[in-house]
Coordinates of all heavy atoms in Angstrom, one line a residue:
P15 N -8.0 -11.3 -6.9 CA -9.2 -12.1 -6.6 C -10.3 -11.1 -6.0 O -10.0 -10.1 -5.4 CB -8.8 -13.1 -5.6 CG -7.3 -13.2 -5.7 CD -6.9 -11.9 -6.1
R16 N -11.6 -11.5 -6.3 CA -12.7 -10.7 -5.9 C -12.6 -10.4 -4.4 O -12.8 -9.3 -3.9 CB -14.0 -11.4 -6.2 CG -15.2 -10.6 -5.8 CD -16.5 -11.4 -6.1 NE -17.7 -10.8 -5.5 CZ -18.5 -10.0 -6.2 NH1 -18.3 -9.8 -7.5 NH2 -19.5 -9.5 -5.6
C17 N -12.3 -11.4 -3.6 CA -12.2 -11.3 -2.1 C -11.1 -10.2 -1.7 O -11.3 -9.5 -0.8 CB -11.8 -12.6 -1.5 SG -11.5 -12.6 0.2
V18 N -10.0 -10.2 -2.5 CA -9.0 -9.2 -2.2 C -9.4 -7.8 -2.5 O -9.2 -6.9 -1.8 CB -7.7 -9.6 -2.9 CG1 -6.6 -8.5 -2.9 CG2 -7.1 -10.9 -2.4
V19 N -10.1 -7.7 -3.7 CA -10.6 -6.4 -4.0 C -11.6 -5.9 -3.0 O -11.5 -4.7 -2.6 CB -11.3 -6.4 -5.4 CG1 -11.9 -5.0 -5.8 CG2 -10.3 -6.8 -6.5
E20 N -12.4 -6.7 -2.5 CA -13.4 -6.3 -1.5 C -12.8 -6.0 -0.1 O -13.1 -4.9 0.4 CB -14.4 -7.5 -1.3 CG -15.5 -7.1 -0.3 CD -16.6 -8.2 -0.1 OE1 -16.4 -9.3 -0.6 OE2 -17.6 -7.9 0.5
N21 N -11.9 -6.8 0.4 CA -11.4 -6.6 1.7 C -10.2 -5.7 1.8 O -9.8 -5.3 2.9 CB -11.1 -8.0 2.4 CG -12.4 -8.7 2.6 OD1 -13.2 -8.3 3.5 ND2 -12.7 -9.7 1.8
W22 N -9.5 -5.5 0.7 CA -8.3 -4.6 0.7 C -8.6 -3.3 0.0 O -8.5 -2.3 0.6 CB -7.1 -5.4 0.1 CG -5.8 -4.7 0.3 CD1 -5.5 -3.7 1.2 CD2 -4.6 -4.9 -0.4 NE1 -4.2 -3.3 1.0 CE2 -3.6 -4.0 0.0 CE3 -4.3 -5.8 -1.5 CZ2 -2.3 -4.0 -0.5 CZ3 -3.0 -5.8 -2.0 CH2 -2.0 -4.9 -1.5
V23 N -8.9 -3.5 -1.3 CA -9.1 -2.2 -2.1 C -10.3 -1.5 -1.7 O -10.2 -0.3 -1.3 CB -9.1 -2.6 -3.6 CG1 -9.3 -1.3 -4.4 CG2 -7.9 -3.4 -4.0
H24 N -11.5 -2.1 -1.7 CA -12.7 -1.4 -1.4 C -12.8 -0.9 0.0 O -13.1 0.2 0.3 CB -13.9 -2.3 -1.8 CG -15.2 -1.6 -1.6 ND1 -16.0 -1.9 -0.5 CD2 -16.0 -0.8 -2.3 CE1 -17.1 -1.2 -0.5 NE2 -17.1 -0.5 -1.7
R25 N -12.5 -1.8 0.9 CA -12.7 -1.5 2.4 C -11.6 -0.5 2.8 O -11.9 0.3 3.8 CB -12.5 -2.8 3.2 CG -12.9 -2.5 4.6 CD -13.1 -3.8 5.4 NE -14.3 -4.4 5.0 CZ -14.6 -5.7 5.1 NH1 -13.8 -6.5 5.7 NH2 -15.8 -6.2 4.7
H26 N -10.5 -0.5 2.2 CA -9.4 0.4 2.7 C -8.9 1.3 1.5 O -7.7 1.6 1.3 CB -8.2 -0.4 3.2 CG -8.5 -1.3 4.3 ND1 -8.9 -0.9 5.5 CD2 -8.6 -2.7 4.3 CE1 -9.1 -1.9 6.3 NE2 -9.0 -3.0 5.6
W27 N -9.8 1.8 0.7 CA -9.5 2.6 -0.5 C -8.4 3.6 -0.3 O -7.5 3.7 -1.0 CB -10.7 3.2 -1.2 CG -10.3 4.1 -2.3 CD1 -10.4 5.4 -2.3 CD2 -9.7 3.7 -3.5 NE1 -9.9 5.9 -3.5 CE2 -9.4 4.9 -4.2 CE3 -9.3 2.5 -4.0 CZ2 -8.8 4.8 -5.4 CZ3 -8.6 2.4 -5.2 CH2 -8.4 3.6 -5.9
Q28 N -8.6 4.5 0.7 CA -7.7 5.6 0.9 C -6.2 5.2 1.1 O -5.3 5.7 0.4 CB -8.1 6.5 2.0 CG -7.4 7.8 2.1 CD -8.1 8.7 3.2 OE1 -8.7 8.2 4.2 NE2 -7.9 10.0 3.0
D29 N -6.0 4.2 1.9 CA -4.7 3.6 2.1 C -4.2 2.9 0.9 O -3.0 3.0 0.5 CB -4.6 2.7 3.3 CG -4.6 3.4 4.6 OD1 -4.3 4.7 4.6 OD2 -4.9 2.8 5.7
F30 N -5.1 2.1 0.3 CA -4.7 1.4 -0.9 C -4.2 2.3 -2.0 O -3.2 2.2 -2.6 CB -5.8 0.5 -1.5 CG -5.4 -0.4 -2.6 CD1 -4.7 -1.6 -2.4 CD2 -5.6 0.0 -3.9 CE1 -4.3 -2.3 -3.4 CE2 -5.2 -0.8 -5.0 CZ -4.5 -1.9 -4.7
E31 N -5.0 3.4 -2.2 CA -4.7 4.4 -3.3 C -3.4 5.1 -3.0 O -2.5 5.2 -3.8 CB -5.8 5.4 -3.3 CG -5.5 6.5 -4.3 CD -6.6 7.6 -4.3 OE1 -7.1 8.0 -3.2 OE2 -6.9 8.1 -5.4
S32 N -3.2 5.5 -1.7 CA -2.0 6.3 -1.4 C -0.7 5.5 -1.3 O 0.4 5.9 -1.6 CB -2.2 7.2 -0.2 OG -2.3 6.4 0.9
L33 N -0.9 4.2 -0.9 CA 0.3 3.4 -0.6 C 0.7 2.4 -1.7 O 1.8 2.0 -1.8 CB 0.1 2.6 0.7 CG -0.1 3.5 2.0 CD1 -0.4 2.6 3.2 CD2 1.2 4.3 2.3
W34 N -0.3 1.8 -2.4 CA -0.1 0.7 -3.2 C -0.2 0.9 -4.7 O 0.3 0.1 -5.5 CB -0.9 -0.5 -2.8 CG -0.6 -0.9 -1.4 CD1 -1.2 -0.5 -0.2 CD2 0.5 -1.7 -1.0 NE1 -0.6 -1.1 0.9 CE2 0.5 -1.8 0.5 CE3 1.5 -2.4 -1.6 CZ2 1.4 -2.5 1.2 CZ3 2.4 -3.1 -0.9 CH2 2.4 -3.2 0.5
L35 N -1.0 1.9 -5.1 CA -1.2 2.0 -6.6 C 0.0 2.2 -7.4 O 0.0 1.8 -8.6 CB -2.2 3.2 -6.8 CG -3.7 2.9 -6.7 CD1 -4.5 4.1 -7.1 CD2 -4.1 1.6 -7.4
N36 N 1.1 2.8 -6.9 CA 2.3 3.0 -7.6 C 3.3 1.8 -7.5 O 4.4 2.0 -7.8 CB 3.0 4.3 -7.2 CG 3.5 4.2 -5.8 OD1 3.1 3.3 -5.0 ND2 4.3 5.2 -5.4
R37 N 2.8 0.7 -7.1 CA 3.6 -0.5 -6.8 C 3.5 -1.6 -7.9 O 3.8 -2.7 -7.6 CB 3.3 -1.1 -5.4 CG 3.4 -0.1 -4.3 CD 4.8 0.2 -3.9 NE 5.4 -1.0 -3.3 CZ 6.4 -0.9 -2.4 NH1 6.9 0.2 -2.1 NH2 6.9 -2.0 -1.9
S38 N 3.2 -1.2 -9.1 CA 3.1 -2.2 -10.2 C 2.1 -3.3 -9.8 O 2.4 -4.5 -9.9 CB 4.4 -2.8 -10.6 OG 5.3 -1.8 -11.0
I39 N 0.9 -2.9 -9.3 CA 0.0 -3.9 -8.8 C -0.5 -4.9 -9.9 O -1.0 -6.0 -9.5 CB -1.2 -3.3 -8.1 CG1 -2.0 -2.4 -9.1 CG2 -0.8 -2.5 -6.9 CD1 -3.3 -1.8 -8.5
E40 N -0.4 -4.6 -11.1 CA -0.7 -5.5 -12.2 C 0.2 -6.7 -12.2 O -0.2 -7.8 -12.8 CB -0.7 -4.8 -13.6 CG 0.6 -4.4 -14.1 CD 1.2 -3.1 -13.5 OE1 0.5 -2.5 -12.7 OE2 2.3 -2.7 -13.9
L41 N 1.3 -6.6 -11.5 CA 2.2 -7.8 -11.4 C 2.1 -8.6 -10.1 O 2.7 -9.6 -9.9 CB 3.7 -7.3 -11.5 CG 4.0 -6.5 -12.8 CD1 5.5 -6.0 -12.7 CD2 3.8 -7.4 -14.0
F42 N 1.2 -8.2 -9.2 CA 0.9 -8.9 -8.0 C 0.3 -10.2 -8.4 O -0.5 -10.3 -9.3 CB 0.0 -8.2 -7.1 CG 0.6 -7.0 -6.3 CD1 1.7 -6.3 -6.8 CD2 0.0 -6.5 -5.2 CE1 2.2 -5.3 -6.1 CE2 0.5 -5.4 -4.5 CZ 1.6 -4.8 -4.9
S43 N 0.6 -11.3 -7.6 CA -0.1 -12.6 -7.8 C -0.5 -13.1 -6.4 O 0.2 -12.8 -5.4 CB 0.8 -13.6 -8.5 OG 1.9 -13.9 -7.8
F44 N -1.7 -13.7 -6.4 CA -2.3 -14.1 -5.1 C -2.5 -15.6 -5.2 O -2.9 -16.2 -6.2 CB -3.6 -13.4 -4.9 CG -3.5 -11.9 -4.8 CD1 -3.5 -11.1 -5.9 CD2 -3.4 -11.4 -3.5 CE1 -3.4 -9.7 -5.7 CE2 -3.2 -10.0 -3.3 CZ -3.2 -9.2 -4.4
E45 N -2.3 -16.2 -4.0 CA -2.6 -17.7 -3.9 C -3.2 -17.9 -2.5 O -2.6 -17.4 -1.5 CB -1.3 -18.5 -4.0 CG -1.4 -19.9 -3.8 CD -0.1 -20.7 -3.8 OE1 1.0 -20.1 -3.7 OE2 -0.2 -21.9 -3.8
Q46 N -4.3 -18.6 -2.5 CA -4.9 -18.9 -1.2 C -4.2 -20.1 -0.6 O -4.1 -21.1 -1.3 CB -6.4 -19.1 -1.4 CG -7.2 -18.7 -0.2 CD -8.7 -18.8 -0.6 OE1 -9.2 -19.8 -0.9 NE2 -9.4 -17.6 -0.5
V47 N -3.8 -20.0 0.7 CA -3.2 -21.1 1.4 C -3.7 -21.2 2.8 O -4.4 -20.3 3.3 CB -1.6 -20.9 1.5 CG1 -1.0 -20.8 0.1 CG2 -1.3 -19.7 2.3
S48 N -3.5 -22.3 3.4 CA -3.9 -22.6 4.8 C -2.7 -22.5 5.7 O -1.7 -23.2 5.4 CB -4.6 -24.0 4.8 OG -5.0 -24.3 6.1
L49 N -2.8 -21.8 6.8 CA -1.7 -21.7 7.7 C -2.2 -22.3 9.1 O -3.3 -22.0 9.5 CB -1.3 -20.3 8.0 CG -0.8 -19.4 6.8 CD1 -0.3 -18.1 7.3 CD2 0.4 -20.2 6.2
G50 N -1.3 -23.1 9.7 CA -1.6 -23.6 11.0 C -1.4 -22.5 12.0 O -0.8 -21.4 11.7
N51 N -1.8 -22.7 13.3 CA -1.6 -21.7 14.3 C -0.2 -21.2 14.5 O 0.1 -20.0 14.7 CB -2.3 -22.1 15.6 CG -3.8 -22.2 15.5 OD1 -4.4 -21.4 14.8 ND2 -4.4 -23.2 16.1
S52 N 0.8 -22.2 14.5 CA 2.2 -21.8 14.7 C 2.6 -20.9 13.5 O 3.4 -20.0 13.7 CB 3.1 -23.0 14.9 OG 3.0 -23.8 13.7
Q53 N 2.2 -21.2 12.3 CA 2.5 -20.3 11.2 C 1.9 -19.0 11.3 O 2.5 -18.0 10.9 CB 2.1 -21.0 9.9 CG 2.8 -22.3 9.6 CD 2.2 -23.1 8.4 OE1 1.0 -23.4 8.5 NE2 3.0 -23.3 7.4
V54 N 0.7 -18.9 11.8 CA 0.0 -17.6 12.0 C 0.9 -16.7 12.9 O 1.1 -15.5 12.7 CB -1.4 -17.7 12.5 CG1 -1.9 -16.4 13.1 CG2 -2.3 -18.3 11.5
M55 N 1.4 -17.4 14.0 CA 2.3 -16.6 14.9 C 3.6 -16.2 14.3 O 4.3 -15.3 14.9 CB 2.5 -17.5 16.2 CG 1.2 -17.7 17.0 SD 0.4 -16.3 17.5 CE 1.4 -15.7 18.9
E56 N 3.9 -16.7 13.2 CA 5.2 -16.2 12.5 C 4.9 -15.1 11.5 O 5.9 -14.6 10.9 CB 5.8 -17.4 11.7 CG 6.3 -18.5 12.6 CD 6.7 -19.8 11.9 OE1 6.7 -19.8 10.7 OE2 7.1 -20.7 12.6
I57 N 3.7 -14.7 11.3 CA 3.4 -13.5 10.5 C 4.0 -12.3 11.2 O 3.9 -12.1 12.4 CB 1.9 -13.3 10.3 CG1 1.3 -14.5 9.6 CG2 1.6 -12.0 9.6 CD1 -0.2 -14.5 9.5
E58 N 4.7 -11.5 10.4 CA 5.5 -10.4 10.9 C 5.0 -9.0 10.5 O 4.2 -8.9 9.5 CB 6.9 -10.5 10.5 CG 7.6 -11.8 11.0 CD 9.1 -11.8 10.6 OE1 9.8 -11.0 11.1 OE2 9.4 -12.7 9.9
H59 N 5.4 -8.0 11.2 CA 5.2 -6.6 10.9 C 6.3 -5.9 11.6 O 7.3 -6.6 12.1 CB 3.8 -6.2 11.5 CG 3.1 -5.1 10.6 ND1 3.8 -4.1 10.0 CD2 1.8 -4.9 10.3 CE1 3.0 -3.3 9.3 NE2 1.8 -3.8 9.5
T60 N 6.3 -4.6 11.7 CA 7.3 -3.9 12.4 C 7.2 -4.4 13.9 O 6.1 -4.7 14.4 CB 7.2 -2.4 12.3 OG1 6.0 -2.0 13.0 CG2 7.3 -2.0 10.9
A61 N 8.3 -4.3 14.6 CA 8.3 -4.7 16.0 C 7.3 -4.0 16.9 O 6.6 -4.7 17.7 CB 9.7 -4.5 16.6
T62 N 7.1 -2.8 16.7 CA 6.1 -2.0 17.5 C 4.7 -2.4 17.1 O 3.8 -2.4 18.0 CB 6.3 -0.5 17.4 OG1 6.2 -0.1 16.0 CG2 7.7 -0.1 18.0

């Protein structure tokens, strides 16, 4: 989606290029969803 290109690819080009271009991005699919606050708190990353 245009919004994803703007906020991920364009804004973070260097990281996108080095980290994601070799990940078969043509197969990625995106869906916009609404998350409640408790669901936001369940978003994960590495512990640190």
